[in-house]
Amino acid sequence: MHLILLGAPGSGKGTQARRLEEAYGIVHISTGDMLREASGDGSELGGLIEDRLRHGHLVPDAQVSALVAERLARGDLDHGFALDGYPRTLQQVDDFEKLIQALGRSLDAALNIAVPDEIVIERLSSRRIDPETGRIYNLALEDDPPPEVAGRLSRRNDDGPGIIRQRLETYHAETKPLIQHYRRTGQLVEVDGARPPSEVFAAIQEGLEAAVQSR
Ligand code: AMP
């Protein structure tokens, strides 16, 4: 299964992509994670990426598409992939269509996890990450993490209030138009993301089954 995950920052793309990975054996590929890894590695490109991430701006299309091309060329995608955070602009949609064609594969669905802005702001403000496991905790929603984990939780550099607004603005200007694009191609599966993660996941599974059957 080959999926892309659309949705605002904080809509739950990462959480749901991890569940999809477990359930279907598909590989979770997050461009955000790849870029955070590449940022500040001492190279010129690393410096550019760090600057874009710090300000909540997108990394230029050519650089991101090149990273994704490299990642997709690795031979570990037998069961498919869930691309979390790519494509994010209409130019990246074009790049991605060429990439997936060159691999002889095709996109099964573009999953949009819809969440209102107010909830995004609330969620990102209380989001913390366990740097050891990558697990995401939402301090406003969940039970307290175990004490040994609580001590090491950290906030993502771009989850500060000013940057959250910028990331949302970028999302509305650059990424939201992709929803209309995939609606037109008939590949869009939309779910309401303003619910607990397990309910969102059940809706995703239902939506994906319906999409696959209608082919
Ligand atoms: P995320 O973890 O998906 O929220 O991404 C974090 C940051 O990485 C974004 O705010 C962008 O600066 C950058 N980023 C991630 N994916 C892309 C992409 N497909 N195109 C451009 N920039 C991206």
Side-chain angles (χ1 to χ4, degrees), residues 7-10 13-14 30-36 49-61 63-65 68 84-89 92 124 127 156 158-159 163 166-167 170 175:
K13 297 189 297 294
S30 154
T31 45
D33 285 349
M34 287 161 61
L35 292 167
R36 275 184 288 280
I49 294 173
E50 188 178 14
D51 183 66
R52 296 295 173 108
L53 262 61
R54 183 153 25 97
H55 293 99
H57 294 138
L58 295 182
V59 174
D61 295 326
Q63 271 85 8
V64 181
S65 291
V68 173
D84 158 9
Y86 180 91
R88 224 158 164 131
T89 66
Q92 291 180 18
L124 293 184
R127 175 163 81 172
R156 245 171 68 170
D158 57 353
D159 278 348
I163 310 181
Q166 177 55 54
R167 287 165 66 204
T170 305
T175 309

